[in-house]
Amino acid sequence: MSGVVGIISGKDCKENLFYATDYHSHLGTSFGGLAISDGRSTAKKIHSIARVQFKSRFAEDIDFINMHGNAGIGVISDRDTQPLIMRLKFGEYAICGAGYIDNQDELAKKLIDEGIVFSEMPNGKVNQIELAAKLINKGKTLVDGIEYMHRHIDGSMSLLLLGKEGVYAARDKYGRTPLVLAERNGDKIVVSETCSYKNLSFETKKYLGPGEIVFLSSKETKQLRKPNDILQLCTFLFVYAGFPASEYEGKNVEEFREISGRIIAKHDSVEVDFVAGIADSGTAYAHGYSHESGVPVKIPLLKYTPGWARSYVPPAQETRDLIALMKQITADVLIKGQRMVITEDSIVRGTQLKNFLLVKLWNSGAREVHVRPACPALMFPCKFLYSTRQLDELFARRIIKQFHGKHIENVEPYLDLDSPDYRKMINAMEKDLNVTSLRYQRLEDMMTTTGLPAESLCTYCWTGKTVR
Ligand code: SF4
């Protein structure tokens, strides 16, 4: 998903930029990058964070230690190396972003055919930040260029640009990824995750609207482009990707998860000995379930956190599987002979749940395992963020493919909870996962729990429907 930070400070911004960027580490495991401007020149540093955490990489980096200035941007990136320093026709900017350009190949080809050169092409793919910058460069002004970029990309892209004059923050045209402005005694910070500035004593000032562009400097905060009317915030931020202390459009993630767990319990009638969440995101759902039902919470799966990345993010399946296998350790005495509800944020591929977590529970002597994901079955690969890309990666689609011998286009019957096809799919899933029962959260319940208007939420990965 990636997360970004931009900062303007009355003093050297380095330390605050470092911590605020680090607080986005749950959003990516590929690269961490920082750029700092002293008003005359901009220095940047990028590190791979695939195996070594952002903090460790930068804390002892002599180049970073020597970077000083009052304005900076930082990024935790799930795919591209960033920030990039690009000389546009409007000036020189360090640029970073959060999003995904689904039509990147087509756009890159068009630009290359026009004679535009791309410097960064790892694995034959353009760097999306470079692509975004080259599209921006086609505008008459910086703002016009950002609008041009938004008009031409399929997907989403929220960007920060650091120039000599200050920081430009431009939220994606439908606001799928957040950008939030906060202040502290004249200092300004703009971030993806509000949790990133809470310990730095900044206070939230404004959630940028979809497509909104603001300029930040020590002298002013200026709106350069008004927000669009249509918001399509990524609902998966609440379900899984966001950090629990964060707020999106003013709504807290942990509260969403706790209430979701209550709703799951309200619709549930199984008799169990305890409820357990798969850490980390599943835990709050388990607490909500317990508060509603009176079923006690236990922790039969203990997560050994130090040194392990989130298993959703690393691109290689073997890496994800290894992480899933090694991270969770069973407390066998809590499991043997017990009936349990397991709350989970979602089932994406299903392979880790099936091959590692459930096997561990059964091997430890579980009597019944009832799985309760906090969102509906994922049916469509996300095309707005760096996430699942193929139908075959999605558990629900693989099950449906078994019925038809191929992937089908119209999955409507499998979205209708009252249809025989939906029941057939759930039965096949229960068998495939080897669980006593499986029940997904309802789409309407998930959306209502966000506390935001339904029309302001992106639910494409569950419904296949979107505003573009
Ligand atoms: S498709 Fe799903 S993961 Fe992608 S932006 Fe929409 S809600 Fe988020």
Side-chain angles (χ1 to χ4, degrees):
M1 186 165 275
S2 300
V4 294
V5 178
I7 190 164
I8 299 284
S9 176
K11 298 186 291 190
D12 193 346
C13 71
K14 184 168 71 176
E15 192 170 311
N16 281 182
L17 179 65
F18 168 78
Y19 285 116
T21 306
D22 183 56
Y23 278 126
H24 288 79
S25 292
H26 56 288
L27 291 179
T29 53
S30 292
F31 297 98
L34 300 169
I36 296 182
S37 167
D38 62 7
R40 295 181 302 278
S41 62
T42 301
K44 71 156 187 175
K45 191 74 195 245
I46 302 171
H47 279 295
S48 164
I49 51 169
R51 297 198 182 276
V52 179
Q53 293 169 340
F54 175 90
K55 257 195 297 290
S56 314
R57 283 286 197 200
F58 278 89
E60 292 174 3
D61 180 312
I62 196 72
D63 293 334
F64 172 60
I65 291 167
N66 287 328
M67 284 161 63
H68 298 285
N70 291 19
I73 57 171
V75 59
I76 297 291
S77 176
D78 59 4
R79 196 192 99 156
D80 297 302
T81 52
Q82 47 173 321
L84 302 181
I85 296 184
M86 308 279 298
R87 181 168 289 281
L88 306 183
K89 60 189 180 198
F90 323 107
E92 187 178 277
Y93 295 95
I95 310 174
C96 64
Y100 183 77
I101 302 177
D102 199 38
N103 57 340
Q104 57 189 277
D105 293 343
E106 179 198 320
L107 288 173
K109 182 176 179 319
K110 222 169 141 202
L111 292 176
I112 290 167
D113 288 349
E114 287 173 20
I116 293 170
V117 176
F118 282 86
S119 58
E120 312 264 349
M121 288 199 78
N123 306 321
K125 292 279 177 199
V126 288
N127 180 308
Q128 295 179 101
I129 304 305
E130 186 178 8
L131 175 58
K134 288 189 169 161
L135 290 169
I136 291 170
N137 209 32
K138 285 184 155 278
K140 292 188 190 76
T141 62
L142 192 58
V143 170
D144 183 51
I146 293 169
E147 287 176 337
Y148 179 92
M149 181 271 295
H150 278 154
R151 274 200 308 279
H152 285 81
I153 65 164
D154 290 337
S156 78
M157 187 55 72
S158 291
L159 284 176
L160 297 180
L161 295 90
L162 168 69
K164 289 190 175 86
E165 63 280 22
V167 171
Y168 298 82
R171 190 172 176 188
D172 162 56
K173 68 181 167 184
Y174 289 121
R176 283 198 164 83
T177 52
L179 276 183
V180 190
L181 174 64
E183 291 180 7
R184 177 197 63 193
N185 301 327
D187 291 351
K188 297 160 191 178
I189 195 165
V190 60
V191 302
S192 303
E193 289 279 88
T194 60
C195 68
S196 65
Y197 55 68
K198 292 196 174 174
N199 287 342
L200 303 176
S201 305
F202 283 84
E203 282 186 13
T204 306
K205 282 289 161 201
K206 180 182 170 57
Y207 293 85
L208 267 64
E212 185 173 359
I213 304 173
V214 294
F215 169 69
L216 311 174
S217 72
S218 56
K219 295 192 195 81
E220 59 177 348
T221 299
K222 195 166 153 192
Q223 185 188 56
L224 301 181
R225 187 187 188 279
K226 288 200 165 90
N228 300 324
D229 293 334
I230 301 172
L231 173 65
Q232 288 283 279
L233 177 70
C234 170
T235 310
F236 213 57
L237 283 162
F238 287 102
V239 174
Y240 169 75
F243 191 75
S246 281
E247 275 115 33
Y248 306 117
E249 315 303 324
K251 304 295 179 188
N252 174 256
V253 174
E254 180 75 358
E255 188 182 29
F256 165 89
R257 292 177 187 170
E258 205 271 344
I259 298 172
S260 281
R262 287 179 183 269
I263 294 172
I264 294 169
K266 251 184 208 163
H267 293 308
D268 216 352
S269 55
V270 285
E271 281 194 18
V272 289
D273 300 303
F274 67 82
V275 54
I278 297 181
D280 296 317
S281 352
T283 310
Y285 298 116
H287 284 290
Y289 190 103
S290 174
H291 295 153
E292 184 64 34
S293 63
V295 171
V297 175
K298 288 195 181 175
I299 312 176
L301 287 164
L302 285 307
K303 187 175 170 189
Y304 190 80
T305 320
W308 289 105
R310 293 187 100 179
S311 50
Y312 160 82
V313 190
Q317 184 66 46
E318 311 83 68
T319 315
R320 286 196 299 267
D321 289 349
L322 176 71
I323 292 169
L325 173 68
M326 303 304 280
K327 255 192 330 195
Q328 305 277 359
I329 308 172
T330 52
D332 296 357
V333 68
L334 300 182
I335 299 167
K336 197 170 168 44
Q338 298 291 291
R339 302 165 301 168
M340 65 201 75
V341 160
I342 298 291
T343 54
E344 169 70 306
D345 48 78
S346 57
I347 302 178
V348 183
R349 297 167 181 87
T351 46
Q352 292 163 17
L353 182 66
K354 174 181 168 178
N355 299 335
F356 303 115
L357 299 172
L358 291 167
V359 166
K360 285 180 188 186
L361 291 173
W362 291 124
N363 287 347
S364 301
R367 183 144 66 101
E368 290 178 16
V369 181
H370 304 270
V371 173
R372 301 291 181 260
C375 68
L378 289 153
M379 290 284 183
F380 299 88
C382 174
K383 45 187 188 177
F384 309 103
L385 302 167
Y386 186 53
S387 178
T388 47
R389 300 254 73 86
Q390 306 294 329
L391 286 178
D392 259 336
E393 291 181 70
L394 297 175
F395 176 51
R397 282 308 192 101
R398 289 203 310 275
I399 293 291
I400 296 170
K401 187 180 174 187
Q402 285 171 16
F403 302 152
H404 299 271
K406 61 175 183 182
H407 286 302
I408 55 167
E409 261 183 46
N410 179 17
V411 291
E412 280 292 321
Y414 297 100
L415 305 180
D416 175 1
L417 273 59
D418 298 320
S419 74
D421 286 326
Y422 184 82
R423 192 60 247 168
K424 183 177 162 191
M425 177 182 78
I426 296 295
N427 289 343
M429 286 172 158
E430 286 169 343
K431 215 167 148 198
D432 187 273
L433 290 173
N434 186 24
V435 291
T436 317
S437 78
L438 169 70
R439 233 211 45 239
Y440 284 100
Q441 180 75 301
R442 288 167 177 264
L443 182 72
E444 303 73 39
D445 287 335
M446 176 185 75
M447 292 166 79
T448 309
T449 308
T450 63
L452 296 171
E455 64 276 12
S456 67
L457 297 167
C458 176
T459 55
Y460 175 81
C461 48
W462 297 285
T463 64
K465 295 189 180 112
T466 181
V467 178
R468 303 187 58 166

